[in-house]
Amino acid sequence: MNAASLIDKYVMNTYARAPITFVRGQGCQLWDDQGNQYTDFLAGIAVVNLGHAHPEVVTAVCEQAARLVHVSNLYYTEPQARVAQLLVDNSFAAKVFFCNSGAEANEGALKLARLWGKEKKNGAFTIITMERSFHGRTLGTLSATGQDKIQKGFDPLVPRFKHVPYGDLEAVKAAWDENVCAVLVEPVLGEGGVVVPPDGYLPGLRELCDSQEALLIFDEVQTGLGRTGKLFAHEHFGAAPHVMTLAKALANGLPAGAVLADAEAAKMFGPGSHATTFGAGPVIMAAAGVVLEHLINRGLVEHAQAEGFYFKTRLEELAAKHPGVITQVRGLGLLLGLALNREAGPLVARLRDMGYIVGATQDTVIRFAPPLVVSHDEIDGLVGTLDQVLGQNL
Ligand SMILES: *Cc1c(COP(=O)(O)O)cnc(C)c1O
């Protein structure tokens, strides 16, 4: 039996998988087991920012794997030190806690918010989150998530999340009471359909949280690490959080997550309050070190910004050409969405047949999140193919 039939037989049926078995990647290119080539405009859901099989990541991982893979966080290891320093020196944060995924990073942030409420706000434990948000699949993070389809069947949920409409500062104020200890928000909605909030929204949330001594937590699991053309998406809006979570792109496809916090918030965690066995292991941190080096010192963020601008301009041209089908071009940098007047699924499948891997969210939105190393040529190829597909009236 081939991989697809074995996986369908032996792995739990939680994913609607496309009928392709990938065997190799290089940069933005992927190959399947039939020898077909594809251009990757999804990057494993905004993960493989340096592209597939990046030679420096390969070398760093292989060398570290041959030297030391795991000793736990009961001891110090060298690759973790460098990544922590790079993250803190290039963000609002004073300290970082490392873990293994986006959901786990958000769990850490939620636990930190609970401790904050106990210590600073008289036991307050309500956390305001947004409708159409996505924060993960653990019981805590799916309770924080503002989408019924993700919560369905898992009640009773973790209590005291209050969901309000995204992008609406007044709605947050209206929901406020003395039990609120934190606000959790994505600076740009990712799974929620690639939605950019109004300009004053994030600064307004910061001001509100400061005035109430509550924590503002940004979930930058998808938007962070260069994806939007800034190192962190909140830099577009001139508003820093007290706490921020990262994951997806942190180690270019190896599992890594992080909770970053300013000095006051970071004090909430002490020995014994939070932990992970695998978090920030040397191999993963070796990969993360290469990722951060390219983002911070080798111009990858600027490249993402320039290619994102070019890509968005090309998509806007396409929208002008197919006004009935494309209702909106949204997003920042290389996190872009095409809102359609129809189901995105058939177009995504057709693009795949024609050699382009893209995503769909919220049924009618095509999501693009290519590796940040994507080129003008690759963008032109995608846009030309999309133009053809849109003309086919799927
Ligand atoms: C993907 C994602 C998560 C969950 O990350 P996992 O690594 O799948 O647990 C959380 N928040 C946002 C904004 C995401 O895009």
Side-chain angles (χ1 to χ4, degrees):
M1 276 208 266
N2 63 18
S5 359
L6 287 169
I7 285 173
D8 287 345
K9 180 162 188 224
Y10 291 112
V11 177
M12 287 193 203
N13 182 28
T14 59
Y15 303 102
R17 295 182 206 257
I20 309 181
T21 301
F22 285 117
V23 294
R24 190 164 73 83
Q26 175 99 66
C28 296
Q29 302 300 309
L30 286 167
W31 287 267
D32 70 13
D33 61 349
Q34 311 294 307
N36 299 310
Q37 186 173 352
Y38 303 81
T39 307
D40 185 2
F41 272 80
L42 191 58
I45 321 183
V47 167
V48 190
N49 275 5
L50 267 56
H52 299 278
H54 188 283
E56 286 171 55
V57 175
V58 172
T59 304
V61 164
C62 290
E63 285 183 354
Q64 186 59 51
R67 192 178 306 131
L68 182 69
V69 173
H70 181 81
V71 291
S72 88
N73 284 299
L74 300 175
Y75 308 94
Y76 296 100
T77 49
E78 286 166 355
Q80 182 176 142
R82 173 150 176 272
V83 173
Q85 185 178 28
L86 280 169
L87 284 174
V88 166
D89 285 354
N90 290 281
S91 72
F92 71 94
K95 299 258 190 191
V96 54
F97 172 86
F98 288 113
C99 54
N100 308 283
S101 71
E104 197 185 348
N106 284 330
E107 283 287 338
L110 296 174
K111 283 178 70 176
L112 198 146
R114 284 273 175 99
L115 294 175
W116 181 270
K118 293 257 171 359
E119 183 144 326
K120 307 268 188 180
K121 300 219 20 133
N122 213 16
F125 70 93
T126 300
I127 299 176
I128 295 181
T129 66
M130 307 307 152
E131 292 169 8
R132 292 170 70 191
S133 62
F134 180 77
H135 300 297
R137 299 285 192 159
T138 61
L139 203 48
T141 58
L142 78 82
S143 302
T145 290
Q147 299 187 50
D148 292 344
K149 66 171 191 216
I150 284 166
Q151 299 176 335
K152 192 164 168 264
F154 297 114
D155 55 303
L157 301 179
V158 174
R160 291 283 194 99
F161 289 100
K162 256 194 198 177
H163 297 97
V164 304
Y166 186 73
D168 184 346
L169 182 58
E170 292 312 311
V172 178
K173 288 182 181 162
W176 207 278
D177 62 36
E178 77 276 6
N179 291 315
V180 175
C181 66
V183 174
L184 170 62
V185 61
E186 294 158 81
V188 174
L189 284 186
E191 306 300 312
V194 190
V195 179
V196 181
D199 273 347
Y201 181 56
L202 299 179
L205 288 178
R206 172 73 197 220
E207 204 174 304
L208 178 62
C209 287
D210 279 343
S211 74
Q212 301 293 324
E213 231 191 311
L215 290 181
L216 179 59
I217 306 168
F218 287 166
D219 177 347
E220 292 233 28
V221 167
Q222 182 156 166
T223 57
L225 300 165
R227 173 54 51 193
T228 68
K230 300 270 189 195
L231 187 57
F232 304 113
H234 67 258
E235 295 170 20
H236 288 282
F237 303 94
H242 304 99
V243 176
M244 172 173 75
T245 54
L246 298 175
K248 288 191 162 81
L250 184 52
N252 213 49
L254 280 84
V259 183
L260 281 72
D262 69 15
E264 274 307 293
K267 282 184 199 153
M268 297 303 116
F269 280 157
S273 56
H274 199 43
T276 162
T277 299
F278 288 124
V283 173
I284 288 162
M285 289 294 105
V290 176
V291 168
L292 291 173
E293 168 67 18
H294 277 261
L295 289 169
I296 294 162
N297 298 322
R298 301 240 219 122
L300 186 58
V301 174
E302 292 74 14
H303 178 81
Q305 189 172 52
E307 295 305 319
F309 181 77
Y310 178 70
F311 192 6
K312 196 173 190 190
T313 308
R314 296 297 322 268
L315 290 175
E316 277 159 356
E317 284 166 24
L318 208 57
K321 204 168 155 192
H322 302 273
V325 189
I326 300 174
T327 56
Q328 204 181 15
V329 180
R330 301 198 289 249
L332 285 172
L334 286 170
L335 180 60
L336 295 172
L338 275 190
L340 306 174
N341 73 342
R342 61 195 63 193
E343 292 286 314
L347 280 92
V348 170
R350 188 80 191 101
L351 280 169
R352 192 172 64 229
D353 294 342
M354 295 175 77
Y356 287 90
I357 302 298
V358 305
T361 71
Q362 302 291 313
D363 303 330
T364 58
V365 180
I366 298 182
R367 174 175 42 177
F368 305 106
L372 303 186
V373 295
V374 72
S375 67
H376 268 40
D377 279 354
E378 285 161 332
I379 291 168
D380 288 343
L382 178 273
V383 172
T385 306
L386 189 55
D387 190 15
Q388 284 178 41
V389 169
L390 288 166
Q392 291 168 356
N393 212 17
L394 291 167

Coordinates of all heavy atoms in Angstrom, one line a residue, residues 101-103 106 134-136 186 191 219 221-222 248, ligand 1:
S101 N 4.6 24.5 20.3 CA 3.6 24.7 19.3 C 2.9 26.0 19.6 O 3.1 26.6 20.7 CB 2.6 23.6 19.3 OG 1.8 23.7 20.5
G102 N 2.0 26.4 18.7 CA 1.2 27.6 18.9 C 0.2 27.5 20.0 O 0.0 28.4 20.9
A103 N -0.5 26.4 20.0 CA -1.5 26.1 21.1 C -0.8 26.1 22.5 O -1.3 26.7 23.4 CB -2.2 24.8 20.9
N106 N 0.1 29.6 23.5 CA -1.1 30.4 24.0 C -1.6 29.8 25.3 O -2.0 30.6 26.2 CB -2.2 30.3 23.0 CG -2.0 31.2 21.8 OD1 -1.4 32.3 21.9 ND2 -2.5 30.8 20.6
F134 N -8.5 32.5 16.1 CA -8.1 31.1 16.2 C -6.9 31.1 17.1 O -5.9 31.8 16.9 CB -7.7 30.5 14.9 CG -7.3 29.1 15.0 CD1 -8.2 28.1 15.2 CD2 -5.9 28.8 15.0 CE1 -7.8 26.8 15.4 CE2 -5.5 27.4 15.2 CZ -6.4 26.4 15.4
H135 N -6.9 30.3 18.2 CA -5.8 30.3 19.1 C -5.3 28.9 19.4 O -4.3 28.7 20.1 CB -6.2 31.0 20.4 CG -6.6 32.4 20.3 ND1 -5.7 33.3 19.8 CD2 -7.7 33.0 20.4 CE1 -6.3 34.5 19.7 NE2 -7.5 34.4 20.1
G136 N -5.9 27.9 18.8 CA -5.3 26.5 18.9 C -6.4 25.5 19.3 O -7.6 25.8 19.4
E186 N -5.3 38.5 17.9 CA -4.3 38.4 16.7 C -4.2 39.8 16.1 O -5.2 40.3 15.7 CB -4.8 37.4 15.7 CG -4.9 35.9 16.1 CD -5.9 35.2 15.3 OE1 -5.5 34.7 14.2 OE2 -7.0 35.0 15.7
E191 N -6.5 32.4 10.4 CA -7.5 31.4 10.1 C -8.8 32.1 9.9 O -9.7 31.6 9.2 CB -7.6 30.4 11.2 CG -6.3 29.7 11.6 CD -5.7 29.0 10.5 OE1 -6.4 28.2 9.8 OE2 -4.5 29.1 10.2
D219 N -1.4 37.3 19.9 CA -1.1 35.9 19.3 C -0.5 36.2 18.0 O -1.2 36.5 17.0 CB -2.4 35.1 19.2 CG -2.2 33.8 18.6 OD1 -1.2 33.6 18.0 OD2 -3.1 32.9 18.7
V221 N 1.4 33.9 16.5 CA 1.8 32.6 16.1 C 1.9 32.5 14.5 O 2.8 31.9 14.0 CB 0.8 31.5 16.6 CG1 1.0 30.2 15.9 CG2 1.0 31.4 18.1
Q222 N 0.9 33.1 13.9 CA 0.9 33.1 12.4 C 1.5 34.4 11.8 O 2.2 34.3 10.8 CB -0.5 33.0 11.9 CG -0.6 32.9 10.4 CD -1.9 32.2 9.9 OE1 -2.2 32.3 8.7 NE2 -2.6 31.5 10.7
K248 N 4.6 29.0 14.7 CA 4.7 28.5 13.3 C 6.1 28.6 12.7 O 6.7 27.6 12.4 CB 3.6 29.2 12.4 CG 2.2 28.6 12.7 CD 1.2 29.1 11.7 CE 0.0 28.2 11.8 NZ -1.0 28.6 12.8
Ligands
LIG1 C1 -1.8 28.0 13.9 C2 -2.2 29.0 15.0 C3 -2.3 28.6 16.3 C4 -2.1 27.2 16.8 O1 -0.8 26.7 16.5 P1 -0.5 25.1 16.6 O2 1.0 25.1 16.5 O3 -1.2 24.4 15.5 O4 -0.9 24.7 17.9 C5 -2.6 29.5 17.3 N1 -2.8 30.8 16.9 C6 -2.8 31.2 15.6 C7 -3.0 32.7 15.3 C8 -2.4 30.3 14.6 O5 -2.4 30.7 13.4

